[in-house]
Amino acid sequence: MARKLHTALIAVASSFVFLNTIYHHLLRHPPSIATEGLLAPPLPLYLQANPNLALSEHKRLQLQEQEVDHYKSTRHVTSLKESTPAVSILLPAWEILVVLPPETPPPPSAARLTCLFPNNISSTARPSGFLSSPYRTTFKCDLPARFRRRFPFPQPVLNSPEKKTPPVIKSTVPELLRWNFLVYDSITTEDDIVLLVKGLNHRQGSSRSPSDFACVFGDDVINGVKTAVTSSVQEVFRCRIPKLTAVSIPGGEERIKISLEISEQNRVVPSVAYYTPPRKIAIKQPKSLLCACTMVYNVAKFLREWVIYHSAIGVERFILYDNGSDDELDRVVEDLIQSGYDVTTTFWVWAKTQESGFSHCAVSAKDTCKWVTFIDVDEFIYSQSWLNSLSPSREMLRALLPKSKESSIGQILIGCYEFGPSNRKSNPKEGVIEGYNCRRRDENRHKSIVLLDAIDESLLNVIHHFRLKQGYKGKKLRIEDAVVNHYKYQAWVEFKTKFRRRVSAYMADWTQAVNPTSKDRTPGLGYAPVEPYGWAGKFCEVYDNRLRDLTRQWFGFGLSSEYHNGLQES
């Protein structure tokens, strides 16, 4: 018996040394620049082979490497260990997001992983994406049906079925965090911290007082350091920066857990966000005059057309917030970067967070962009004054921006024309500009191009435009000067995907039987993804081929993926 125990102890010790060696090897070769055999995305082949990288991608890699160096030299305030459990969040549609702790090396790419629940019930774990600040690997799995009627919902353990001895699920299992009551991200500015929180300000235009809350730093929420909240609007809370020494520990002062306390309830909102103090060394990037920021979900087949067109008329940088795409978005983005377009992607898994996503973009892009247009991938800006232009020019959009004498203009507002299915039964392979040419007669709402320095500190935004600081005002352009062609009501096979979920936190989902006459609902559409009778011919009041004819004049053909290579050669 003693000999068996001695042998077992030697085996455990050997395993620990082996795992520790691998762990520190991975820290020296971290996941953000990982090579073969890791779940983190490898360095793309075109970057390995092409020394003349697109400038934006080169800078992105520099930032990743700096993030990695940052990891090596610091530790989390609570001294994270290898045994620190993952955190799991229940998303809509019974989907679970599993977030590995910072500093946790990703499992090998060949590993088959599962989410293991009590009674050895499991579901497949799928690689999902990577959260930043700090860098964390995530997986998705489904909550098994038998647990959906049992509350509280149990957190799973990430497990490899190849293990001879599966982990033991304790009788007391932590409860799943809920996506609708969560501190899910933060971003640090020079002056304060922006905290993004779901579940507190429930209605548009009705926000609780900042004095109702306090920001809490550190895992010890009872004795943690607290600072005042200075702004509370939508899902955006701003709080003062703490004295770093108050929350640091010997040997480390970074990656401090941050949450929000509801003061009157003495209750702290669950959090997966961290406060990362500003780095002492920052990579200086040239500031683009005009960028575009948008939230995307499975738009790979439309993205090239949108990027190529808007780049030709003056957008210099494209910022995508990926809301959980599972199409070929990454490949299309890589192709665009390789072709010289400046495109970056932020993994943004949080459901119904368009407003806070745009707020996050307004803060994070401030050092690299002066003006940003917040439009969707099915929206295209153009002006009737361009109709006689033989070729596009990057000065076209710049001409819409205020002149020097209009220094008080902080936002340009552009009206929209909404296009219908135009008798299409399927997605037009030649692209949306070519494929949809019939629209509603009247202009509807507007989209914006906003000066980031003019945005109000609250970061309040509604339907693609922002509240401005005192001293700034918006300028509404005449429809003759500029318009947004919004290819909103597409062929049913495309439009029905909208039933997945509305992206705005303050609009009812399609399936909710509320506000049937709201302009935010599609006329004639019910509460289920069932094609209304005569859908292909709906919303067709005016045939409008102007932008289609203009792009034919400029490029000679459509701008969809089928024509992408031809455009680059022309």
Side-chain angles (χ1 to χ4, degrees), residues 394-411:
R394 286 204 158 196
E395 297 302 318
M396 287 176 164
L397 283 181
R398 295 174 185 176
L400 303 179
L401 300 179
K403 308 300 185 288
S404 56
K405 63 181 179 180
E406 299 177 300
S407 57
S408 64
I409 302 298
Q411 190 162 221

Side-chain angles (χ1 to χ4, degrees), residues 323-335:
N323 200 206
S325 299
D326 53 13
D327 58 356
E328 296 184 333
L329 181 68
D330 290 345
R331 182 184 62 80
V332 174
V333 169
E334 281 197 6
D335 288 346

Side-chain angles (χ1 to χ4, degrees), residues 243-270:
K243 291 182 179 179
L244 191 58
T245 55
V247 285
S248 64
I249 61 171
E253 58 180 19
E254 309 290 352
R255 296 200 201 102
I256 301 164
K257 200 69 170 289
I258 179 172
S259 190
L260 197 71
E261 180 186 62
I262 307 171
S263 301
E264 63 179 11
Q265 300 176 13
N266 196 26
R267 182 185 183 189
V268 176
V269 181

Side-chain angles (χ1 to χ4, degrees), residues 43-58:
L43 198 65
L45 293 177
Y46 77 85
L47 293 178
Q48 300 175 20
N50 180 8
N52 299 316
L53 296 175
L55 180 61
S56 64
E57 183 68 0
H58 176 65

Side-chain angles (χ1 to χ4, degrees), residues 246-386:
V247 285
S248 64
I249 61 171
E253 58 180 19
E254 309 290 352
R255 296 200 201 102
I256 301 164
K257 200 69 170 289
I258 179 172
S259 190
L260 197 71
E261 180 186 62
I262 307 171
S263 301
E264 63 179 11
Q265 300 176 13
N266 196 26
R267 182 185 183 189
V268 176
V269 181
S271 175
V272 292
Y274 291 82
Y275 162 59
T276 303
R279 298 189 181 99
K280 296 179 181 178
I281 301 174
I283 297 175
K284 297 292 183 182
Q285 299 188 55
K287 186 174 285 194
S288 300
L289 177 64
L290 181 58
C291 304
C293 182
T294 190
M295 192 165 290
V296 299
Y297 171 71
N298 284 359
V299 297
K301 56 181 169 289
F302 304 118
L303 186 62
R304 284 193 179 95
E305 179 181 21
W306 185 76
V307 168
I308 293 169
Y309 172 81
H310 284 100
S311 177
I313 61 175
V315 174
E316 300 168 57
R317 180 171 294 162
F318 298 85
I319 306 166
L320 312 179
Y321 279 62
D322 180 10
N323 200 206
S325 299
D326 53 13
D327 58 356
E328 296 184 333
L329 181 68
D330 290 345
R331 182 184 62 80
V332 174
V333 169
E334 281 197 6
D335 288 346
L336 287 167
I337 294 171
Q338 187 178 16
S339 299
Y341 297 97
D342 191 337
V343 185
T344 59
T345 304
T346 296
F347 179 63
W348 194 259
V349 70
W350 316 114
K352 292 184 73 66
T353 54
Q354 183 180 58
E355 292 84 359
S356 61
F358 284 174
S359 296
H360 187 280
C361 184
V363 174
S364 61
K366 201 170 183 179
D367 290 336
T368 55
C369 303
K370 185 174 181 179
W371 291 81
V372 174
T373 179
F374 290 87
I375 56 175
D376 295 329
V377 174
D378 60 357
E379 297 171 340
F380 293 75
I381 303 173
Y382 95 102
S383 171
Q384 294 181 32
S385 64
W386 305 344

Side-chain angles (χ1 to χ4, degrees), residues 22 50-51 90 186-187 192 208 248 282 300 306 318 354 366 400 426 435 443 446 513 526 528 557:
I22 292 177
N50 180 8
L90 183 61
S186 74
I187 184 168
D192 65 358
R208 297 173 64 173
S248 64
W306 185 76
F318 298 85
Q354 183 180 58
K366 201 170 183 179
L400 303 179
S426 61
E443 171 193 348
H446 55 263
F557 39 71

